[in-house]
Short mmCIF file of all heavy atoms in Angstrom, two decimals:
data_model
loop_
_atom_site.label_atom_id
_atom_site.label_comp_id
_atom_site.label_asym_id
_atom_site.label_seq_id
_atom_site.Cartn_x
_atom_site.Cartn_y
_atom_site.Cartn_z
N PHE A 1 170.32 129.34 63.82
CA PHE A 1 169.99 128.31 62.82
C PHE A 1 169.00 127.29 63.39
O PHE A 1 168.10 126.82 62.67
CB PHE A 1 171.27 127.61 62.34
CG PHE A 1 172.23 128.52 61.63
CD1 PHE A 1 173.60 128.31 61.70
CD2 PHE A 1 171.77 129.59 60.87
CE1 PHE A 1 174.49 129.15 61.04
CE2 PHE A 1 172.65 130.43 60.21
CZ PHE A 1 174.01 130.21 60.29
N LEU A 2 169.15 126.95 64.67
CA LEU A 2 168.22 126.00 65.29
C LEU A 2 166.82 126.60 65.41
O LEU A 2 165.82 125.89 65.24
CB LEU A 2 168.74 125.57 66.67
CG LEU A 2 169.92 124.59 66.64
CD1 LEU A 2 170.50 124.44 68.04
CD2 LEU A 2 169.50 123.24 66.09
N LEU A 3 166.73 127.89 65.70
CA LEU A 3 165.42 128.54 65.73
C LEU A 3 164.76 128.49 64.35
O LEU A 3 163.54 128.33 64.24
CB LEU A 3 165.56 130.00 66.18
CG LEU A 3 165.79 130.23 67.69
CD1 LEU A 3 166.02 131.72 67.95
CD2 LEU A 3 164.62 129.72 68.51
N THR A 4 165.57 128.63 63.31
CA THR A 4 165.04 128.52 61.94
C THR A 4 164.54 127.11 61.67
O THR A 4 163.46 126.93 61.07
CB THR A 4 166.14 128.89 60.93
OG1 THR A 4 166.69 130.17 61.26
CG2 THR A 4 165.58 128.94 59.52
N VAL A 5 165.30 126.11 62.10
CA VAL A 5 164.89 124.72 61.92
C VAL A 5 163.59 124.43 62.68
O VAL A 5 162.70 123.74 62.19
CB VAL A 5 166.02 123.78 62.40
CG1 VAL A 5 165.51 122.34 62.52
CG2 VAL A 5 167.20 123.83 61.43
N MET A 6 163.46 125.00 63.87
CA MET A 6 162.24 124.80 64.65
C MET A 6 161.04 125.45 63.96
O MET A 6 159.91 124.94 64.04
CB MET A 6 162.42 125.37 66.06
CG MET A 6 163.43 124.59 66.90
SD MET A 6 163.76 125.35 68.51
CE MET A 6 162.28 124.91 69.41
N GLY A 7 161.27 126.58 63.29
CA GLY A 7 160.21 127.20 62.51
C GLY A 7 159.76 126.30 61.37
O GLY A 7 158.56 126.17 61.08
N TYR A 8 160.73 125.65 60.71
CA TYR A 8 160.41 124.71 59.63
C TYR A 8 159.65 123.51 60.17
O TYR A 8 158.69 123.02 59.54
CB TYR A 8 161.70 124.25 58.95
CG TYR A 8 161.50 123.14 57.94
CD1 TYR A 8 160.87 123.37 56.73
CD2 TYR A 8 161.94 121.84 58.22
CE1 TYR A 8 160.68 122.36 55.80
CE2 TYR A 8 161.75 120.82 57.30
CZ TYR A 8 161.13 121.07 56.10
OH TYR A 8 160.94 120.06 55.19
N ASP A 9 160.02 123.05 61.36
CA ASP A 9 159.32 121.92 61.99
C ASP A 9 157.85 122.27 62.24
O ASP A 9 156.95 121.47 61.97
CB ASP A 9 160.00 121.58 63.32
CG ASP A 9 159.21 120.56 64.13
OD1 ASP A 9 159.22 119.38 63.76
OD2 ASP A 9 158.59 120.96 65.13
N ARG A 10 157.59 123.48 62.73
CA ARG A 10 156.20 123.91 62.97
C ARG A 10 155.45 124.04 61.64
O ARG A 10 154.26 123.74 61.56
CB ARG A 10 156.17 125.23 63.73
CG ARG A 10 156.66 125.19 65.18
CD ARG A 10 155.81 124.26 66.04
NE ARG A 10 156.21 122.86 65.89
CZ ARG A 10 155.41 121.82 66.07
NH1 ARG A 10 154.15 122.02 66.36
NH2 ARG A 10 155.84 120.58 65.92
N TYR A 11 156.15 124.50 60.61
CA TYR A 11 155.52 124.63 59.28
C TYR A 11 155.08 123.26 58.76
O TYR A 11 153.95 123.10 58.29
CB TYR A 11 156.52 125.27 58.32
CG TYR A 11 156.21 125.01 56.86
CD1 TYR A 11 155.18 125.69 56.21
CD2 TYR A 11 156.97 124.09 56.14
CE1 TYR A 11 154.90 125.44 54.87
CE2 TYR A 11 156.69 123.84 54.80
CZ TYR A 11 155.66 124.52 54.18
OH TYR A 11 155.38 124.27 52.86
N VAL A 12 155.95 122.27 58.87
CA VAL A 12 155.61 120.92 58.38
C VAL A 12 154.48 120.33 59.22
O VAL A 12 153.54 119.72 58.68
CB VAL A 12 156.85 120.00 58.42
CG1 VAL A 12 156.47 118.57 58.04
CG2 VAL A 12 157.93 120.51 57.48
N ALA A 13 154.53 120.53 60.56
CA ALA A 13 153.52 119.94 61.44
C ALA A 13 152.13 120.49 61.17
O ALA A 13 151.14 119.75 61.24
CB ALA A 13 153.91 120.19 62.90
N ILE A 14 152.04 121.77 60.84
CA ILE A 14 150.73 122.40 60.66
C ILE A 14 150.27 122.40 59.20
O ILE A 14 149.10 122.17 58.91
CB ILE A 14 150.76 123.84 61.22
CG1 ILE A 14 150.94 123.79 62.73
CG2 ILE A 14 149.49 124.61 60.85
CD1 ILE A 14 151.13 125.14 63.38
N CYS A 15 151.20 122.62 58.29
CA CYS A 15 150.83 122.73 56.86
C CYS A 15 150.83 121.38 56.14
O CYS A 15 150.12 121.20 55.15
CB CYS A 15 151.76 123.71 56.15
SG CYS A 15 151.72 125.37 56.83
N HIS A 16 151.64 120.42 56.63
CA HIS A 16 151.71 119.10 55.99
C HIS A 16 151.67 118.00 57.05
O HIS A 16 152.62 117.20 57.15
CB HIS A 16 152.98 118.98 55.15
CG HIS A 16 153.12 120.04 54.09
ND1 HIS A 16 152.41 120.01 52.90
CD2 HIS A 16 153.87 121.17 54.07
CE1 HIS A 16 152.74 121.07 52.18
NE2 HIS A 16 153.61 121.79 52.86
N PRO A 17 150.63 117.94 57.86
CA PRO A 17 150.60 116.98 58.97
C PRO A 17 150.67 115.53 58.55
O PRO A 17 151.25 114.70 59.26
CB PRO A 17 149.27 117.30 59.67
CG PRO A 17 148.43 117.96 58.61
CD PRO A 17 149.38 118.73 57.77
N LEU A 18 150.08 115.18 57.40
CA LEU A 18 150.08 113.79 56.95
C LEU A 18 151.46 113.32 56.50
O LEU A 18 151.74 112.12 56.50
CB LEU A 18 149.07 113.61 55.80
CG LEU A 18 147.61 113.90 56.16
CD1 LEU A 18 146.72 113.69 54.94
CD2 LEU A 18 147.14 113.03 57.32
N ARG A 19 152.32 114.26 56.13
CA ARG A 19 153.68 113.91 55.68
C ARG A 19 154.72 114.20 56.75
O ARG A 19 155.91 114.10 56.49
CB ARG A 19 154.00 114.68 54.41
CG ARG A 19 153.05 114.41 53.24
CD ARG A 19 153.39 115.30 52.05
NE ARG A 19 154.74 115.07 51.59
CZ ARG A 19 155.42 115.92 50.81
NH1 ARG A 19 154.86 117.07 50.44
NH2 ARG A 19 156.65 115.64 50.42
N TYR A 20 154.26 114.55 57.95
CA TYR A 20 155.20 114.99 58.99
C TYR A 20 156.23 113.92 59.34
O TYR A 20 157.43 114.20 59.45
CB TYR A 20 154.42 115.41 60.24
CG TYR A 20 155.30 115.94 61.35
CD1 TYR A 20 155.79 117.24 61.30
CD2 TYR A 20 155.65 115.14 62.44
CE1 TYR A 20 156.61 117.74 62.31
CE2 TYR A 20 156.46 115.62 63.45
CZ TYR A 20 156.94 116.92 63.38
OH TYR A 20 157.76 117.40 64.38
N ASN A 21 155.76 112.68 59.53
CA ASN A 21 156.68 111.62 59.92
C ASN A 21 157.72 111.31 58.86
O ASN A 21 158.82 110.81 59.17
CB ASN A 21 155.90 110.34 60.26
CG ASN A 21 155.10 110.48 61.54
OD1 ASN A 21 155.46 111.26 62.42
ND2 ASN A 21 154.00 109.75 61.64
N VAL A 22 157.39 111.60 57.60
CA VAL A 22 158.36 111.38 56.52
C VAL A 22 159.32 112.56 56.41
O VAL A 22 160.54 112.38 56.34
CB VAL A 22 157.62 111.17 55.18
CG1 VAL A 22 158.62 111.06 54.03
CG2 VAL A 22 156.74 109.93 55.25
N LEU A 23 158.76 113.77 56.39
CA LEU A 23 159.59 114.96 56.23
C LEU A 23 160.46 115.25 57.45
O LEU A 23 161.51 115.88 57.32
CB LEU A 23 158.70 116.17 55.93
CG LEU A 23 157.93 116.14 54.61
CD1 LEU A 23 157.00 117.34 54.51
CD2 LEU A 23 158.90 116.11 53.43
N MET A 24 160.01 114.80 58.63
CA MET A 24 160.78 115.04 59.85
C MET A 24 161.16 113.71 60.49
O MET A 24 161.00 113.51 61.70
CB MET A 24 159.96 115.89 60.83
CG MET A 24 159.56 117.26 60.28
SD MET A 24 160.95 118.28 59.75
CE MET A 24 161.77 118.56 61.31
N SER A 25 161.68 112.82 59.69
CA SER A 25 162.14 111.53 60.19
C SER A 25 163.38 111.73 61.08
O SER A 25 164.01 112.79 61.03
CB SER A 25 162.49 110.61 59.02
OG SER A 25 163.60 111.13 58.31
N PRO A 26 163.73 110.73 61.90
CA PRO A 26 164.91 110.87 62.76
C PRO A 26 166.18 111.23 62.00
O PRO A 26 166.98 112.05 62.46
CB PRO A 26 165.03 109.49 63.41
CG PRO A 26 163.63 108.97 63.44
CD PRO A 26 162.99 109.48 62.18
N GLY A 27 166.35 110.65 60.80
CA GLY A 27 167.53 110.97 60.00
C GLY A 27 167.54 112.41 59.53
O GLY A 27 168.58 113.08 59.58
N VAL A 28 166.39 112.89 59.11
CA VAL A 28 166.28 114.29 58.66
C VAL A 28 166.54 115.24 59.83
O VAL A 28 167.26 116.23 59.69
CB VAL A 28 164.89 114.57 58.06
CG1 VAL A 28 164.70 116.06 57.80
CG2 VAL A 28 164.71 113.78 56.76
N CYS A 29 165.97 114.93 60.99
CA CYS A 29 166.17 115.77 62.17
C CYS A 29 167.64 115.83 62.57
O CYS A 29 168.16 116.91 62.90
CB CYS A 29 165.34 115.25 63.34
SG CYS A 29 163.55 115.40 63.10
N ALA A 30 168.30 114.68 62.54
CA ALA A 30 169.72 114.64 62.89
C ALA A 30 170.54 115.48 61.92
O ALA A 30 171.46 116.21 62.32
CB ALA A 30 170.22 113.20 62.90
N CYS A 31 170.20 115.41 60.63
CA CYS A 31 170.91 116.21 59.62
C CYS A 31 170.68 117.71 59.84
O CYS A 31 171.62 118.51 59.72
CB CYS A 31 170.45 115.82 58.22
SG CYS A 31 171.11 114.26 57.63
N LEU A 32 169.45 118.09 60.17
CA LEU A 32 169.15 119.50 60.39
C LEU A 32 169.92 120.05 61.59
O LEU A 32 170.45 121.16 61.55
CB LEU A 32 167.65 119.70 60.60
CG LEU A 32 166.76 119.49 59.36
CD1 LEU A 32 165.29 119.51 59.75
CD2 LEU A 32 167.05 120.56 58.32
N VAL A 33 169.99 119.25 62.66
CA VAL A 33 170.75 119.68 63.84
C VAL A 33 172.23 119.76 63.51
O VAL A 33 172.93 120.73 63.88
CB VAL A 33 170.50 118.71 65.02
CG1 VAL A 33 171.46 119.02 66.17
CG2 VAL A 33 169.07 118.80 65.50
#
């Protein structure tokens, strides 16, 4: 599941870089983990 989450992180970083800080905020990251 963590490998899947890391794949989503790379997707957001490359496909939506301007929204990265919003989509991968500390709260969101904690929830995903």
Side-chain angles (χ1 to χ4, degrees):
F1 296 148
L2 286 170
L3 284 176
T4 307
V5 168
M6 292 175 76
Y8 172 71
D9 171 74
R10 292 299 82 207
Y11 159 76
V12 175
I14 294 174
C15 300
H16 303 283
L18 298 180
R19 300 176 60 198
Y20 183 79
N21 290 333
V22 175
L23 294 175
M24 300 303 294
S25 65
V28 171
C29 293
C31 284
L32 290 172
V33 171

